[in-house]
Amino acid sequence: MSTRLLLGLLAALFVSSAAASTDIDWWENAALYQIYPRSFQDSDGDGVGDLNGITRRLSYLKEIGITATWLSPIFKSPMSDFGYDISDFKQIDEIFGTLADFDALMLEAKSLGLKIILDFVPNHSSDECEWFQKSVNREDGYDDFYVWHDGKLNAETGEREPPSNWVSVFGGPQWTWHETRQQYFLHQFQVKQPDLNFSNPMVREHMLDVLTFWLDRGVDGFRIDAVPHIYEQRNADGSYRDEPLSGWNSDPNSYDYLDHIYTKDQPETVELMYEWRDFLLKYQAEHGGPTRVLLAEAYSPVETLSAYFGNGTRLGTQLPMNFQLMYLSGHSTARDVVGAIDYWMQTMWTQHQTANWVIGNHDTQRVANRMGAHKVDLLNVIVNALPGASVTYYGEEIGMSNVATECTEISCDGRDGERTPMQWAPVQNADFSTADSPWLPVSPDYMRFNVQTERGVARSSLQVFKGLQQLKSSAAFLAFKKKDGFSYEALTEQVLQIVRTNNLNEEYRILVNMGNAIEIIDGLADRVFEYMLVTAYSRHRPGETIDLSNRLLLMPYEAIVLRWLA
C-alpha cells in the first residue's frame, strides 16, 4: 500500500470522530512543535534563520499535523544567551526581521489553522535593557525594578561580600557588584541577565503589558521560561539566607553544590502563575477567540508542577511541561518507560486529568544521541500514543541527530549540537540557507535524513510521525478523558503496550519493543486487529490483519499500531 493511499485511508476513517469529544479544549490533545528560529529557515541568505523563513515553512507544519508551534525567543537581544537575554520585550530582533514580518507570519498561520505560541522570558532581562539602565541610575519607579542589595561586611576582614552564597545556574555567584550603583544585583543565570524583582507590582504590570502587546497581535499563548527561578526568599529585614550544601557536589562554583531551597519554586511563583492565568481568562472574556494557553518550563518535581497547574480553586498554567521521558537513555526498558509515565500520571492525571509529553528541546541532546538512532521512531510513537499533548522539537520527526560543532565568533555554546539547521532537502546546506556557511554547520547525514527524501519513503520517521498525528483525531484517541479510555503497561521487560479506546466501536493497541531481541506475546485479545502503522523494523505492512488471541511476534526495536473497528 502506498504512503499516500495509507494516509488517505486514515483520514477517511477518522472523519466520523469530529464530534467524538466536545469537552476537549484544543491544547489538551495538541501536537505542539518547537521551532528554534535561528535554525529553521533562512530567507535572506545571511546564514541565520528568520521569521520570513518560518512563514515560508508553515505549510510543512500543517502537512505533518501540527496544532501549534512554539517559537524560541525572537525579541531584541544582544544574543549573549541567544535571545534569552531580552533588551526590548516588544521588538523583534533585526536578525529575525521586523514586526511587519511577524504580523505576516501570524496572518499565514491563521490562514492555515495553525496556532502560534511565543517564548516568554519573565525572570530576567538583558543588562542592556532600558529598564535595567534606569534601575542602575535609580530613576523614579525603577529603583527596585531588579533585585539589589548592599551586601554584607566580613566581620574578620571588613571587606564587602555578596548577600548570600547563592550559585547561578551557569556556575559562579548569583550576585555581581555594580560599580555605578554601588550595590550587588542578582542574576540566577548569566551576569548579563539580571533578575527582575517580581515583588515590585510595577514589574508585574510591565509584564502584563508585554503579554497584552503580543496577544493583541494574535498569538495563542506563551511558553514561560525558567518558571522556578522567578522569586527568591527574602527575610523581613531584606537580607538573604545562605542555601545549604547539596551533599553530592564538591565544586562550590557548580549550581549543584547547593540545595536551592530559597531560590527555586517559591510559593509566590505559584501565585504568579494563577495571576497570569486570570489575566488570560479576562483577556479572552473581553476579546473572544480560542483558549490562550500557558506552558511552564519547570524542571521541578511533579508535585510542584501540580501546584503550577492549579490548586482546586484557582487555575494556573495549562501545560506545566513534563520532561520525564527526556530522562530515558539507550538502556531504558519498557518498565523504565512505564515508571516515567507513572510518575506523571499518578499525580497530574489523578488530580487534574491533564498530560503532556516532551522528548527534546534546545537544551538537551537529541533523541538519536540520547537513545540511539534506532529508537527515534519508538519515542515518537510513545509520545504521540499517550493521552494528552505531545511536544516535538524541530527535526525529531525526521530523526535528526546532534552535530559536532566548534567555537566560532557567533557561538561557543555547549548546546550548539542540538541547535543545528533544519534538514529540508538533499541539496547544499540542506536547503536551509543559500549562505556559504550557515551560523552552525549542517549535519553530515543530511543527504539521508531530510524532509524531501523522507516524504518518499513509506516507513521513514517522517511518515510514521505523520500517521501518528492522524491517529490523534480518531474517536478512540479523543476518548482519553472518559472512563477506561486508555491504559499502558509493560507486557515484558522490553515490550510496552498502550491501549486507546472509546469503549464502543474502536480500539488501538500500540506495541513498542524497546529491546534488541525478538519478543513473543501470547493472547492479548480475542479480536482480529488491523495493522495501521508500522516502523522500519517491522516485517508487516499496513492493511494486514492479526488475531490477537494467537501469538504476536515483535522484532527488535519494532513499533506497531493495531486497530480494531466494530
Side-chain angles (χ1 to χ4, degrees), residues 32 48 136 140 159 168 183 210 275 283 289 310 333 416 471 510 543 551 554:
L32 306 175
V48 180
V136 166
D140 188 34
E159 294 182 355
S168 79
Q183 280 187 310
V210 170
E275 181 180 319
Y283 187 94
T333 66
D416 284 346
L471 294 175
I510 299 95
R551 177 169 292 183
L554 287 171

Side-chain angles (χ1 to χ4, degrees), residues 157 180 185 227 309 404:
T157 66
T180 301
F185 67 90
V227 168
F309 180 88

Side-chain angles (χ1 to χ4, degrees), residues 65 127 172 190 234 293 335 341 361 372 430 436 460 475 501 515 535:
D127 62 351
Q190 290 185 0
R234 182 171 60 178
V293 70
R335 297 197 194 282
I341 298 170
N361 60 30
D436 292 336
S460 68
T501 177
T535 57

Side-chain angles (χ1 to χ4, degrees), residues 283-330:
Y283 187 94
Q284 182 159 350
E286 294 173 351
H287 296 84
T291 300
R292 276 70 167 190
V293 70
L294 292 175
L295 288 74
E297 185 217 22
Y299 290 88
S300 303
V302 170
E303 294 76 14
T304 303
L305 299 182
S306 177
Y308 286 141
F309 180 88
N311 63 6
T313 58
R314 297 192 68 187
L315 296 173
T317 61
Q318 291 103 318
L319 295 169
M321 299 181 79
N322 173 16
F323 301 121
Q324 295 308 308
L325 295 179
M326 283 173 44
Y327 303 139
L328 299 174
S329 73

Side-chain angles (χ1 to χ4, degrees), residues 72-322:
S72 291
I74 52 176
F75 315 108
K76 187 171 177 146
S77 166
M79 297 294 168
S80 177
D81 191 23
F82 289 103
Y84 285 95
D85 51 319
I86 299 171
S87 57
D88 191 330
F89 288 79
K90 295 182 182 178
Q91 285 295 327
I92 302 295
D93 194 89
E94 62 182 12
I95 199 168
F96 298 124
T98 65
L99 277 172
D101 294 333
F102 178 81
D103 291 341
L105 183 151
M106 289 300 307
L107 188 63
E108 177 67 7
K110 299 297 183 187
S111 72
L112 292 169
L114 294 169
K115 292 179 170 58
I116 300 294
I117 297 169
L118 293 185
D119 226 322
F120 176 48
V121 189
N123 179 71
H124 49 263
S125 75
S126 165
D127 62 351
E128 298 180 28
C129 180
E130 180 185 17
W131 302 341
F132 187 69
Q133 297 306 315
K134 288 181 176 182
S135 192
V136 166
N137 295 313
R138 300 180 186 268
E139 291 189 22
D140 188 34
Y142 289 89
D143 185 40
D144 63 345
F145 215 75
Y146 293 80
V147 182
W148 296 96
H149 198 275
D150 292 332
K152 56 189 178 183
L153 294 178
N154 186 302
E156 296 181 1
T157 66
E159 294 182 355
R160 190 175 300 276
E161 295 179 344
S164 66
N165 70 341
W166 298 350
V167 179
S168 79
V169 173
F170 293 149
Q174 280 195 22
W175 298 98
T176 292
W177 179 258
H178 199 286
E179 196 63 34
T180 301
R181 173 142 170 161
Q182 291 291 293
Q183 280 187 310
Y184 288 95
F185 67 90
L186 180 75
H187 52 90
Q188 289 220 38
F189 293 87
Q190 290 185 0
V191 174
K192 290 184 67 61
Q193 295 170 307
D195 274 39
L196 288 153
N197 177 17
F198 274 85
S199 297
N200 181 345
M202 185 174 168
V203 171
R204 299 200 299 277
E205 285 299 317
H206 272 60
M207 284 302 173
L208 291 180
D209 186 50
V210 170
L211 294 178
T212 301
F213 179 85
W214 295 108
L215 287 168
D216 286 348
R217 299 193 99 88
V219 303
D220 299 283
F222 303 90
R223 175 264 194 189
I224 312 170
D225 181 66
V227 168
H229 305 276
I230 293 176
Y231 275 93
E232 300 78 29
Q233 190 175 124
R234 182 171 60 178
N235 297 325
D237 63 359
S239 63
Y240 297 92
R241 283 176 282 184
D242 285 349
E243 291 186 319
L245 302 184
S246 66
W248 59 278
N249 189 305
S250 60
D251 180 1
N253 288 312
S254 170
Y255 185 65
D256 295 329
Y257 181 66
L258 301 176
D259 184 7
H260 304 287
I261 60 175
Y262 302 132
T263 57
K264 280 189 70 179
D265 294 316
Q266 299 302 304
E268 296 87 348
T269 306
V270 175
E271 288 298 318
L272 184 64
M273 297 303 107
Y274 300 161
E275 181 180 319
W276 285 340
R277 181 67 179 278
D278 288 344
F279 171 76
L280 288 192
L281 288 170
K282 181 175 181 290
Y283 187 94
Q284 182 159 350
E286 294 173 351
H287 296 84
T291 300
R292 276 70 167 190
V293 70
L294 292 175
L295 288 74
E297 185 217 22
Y299 290 88
S300 303
V302 170
E303 294 76 14
T304 303
L305 299 182
S306 177
Y308 286 141
F309 180 88
N311 63 6
T313 58
R314 297 192 68 187
L315 296 173
T317 61
Q318 291 103 318
L319 295 169
M321 299 181 79
N322 173 16

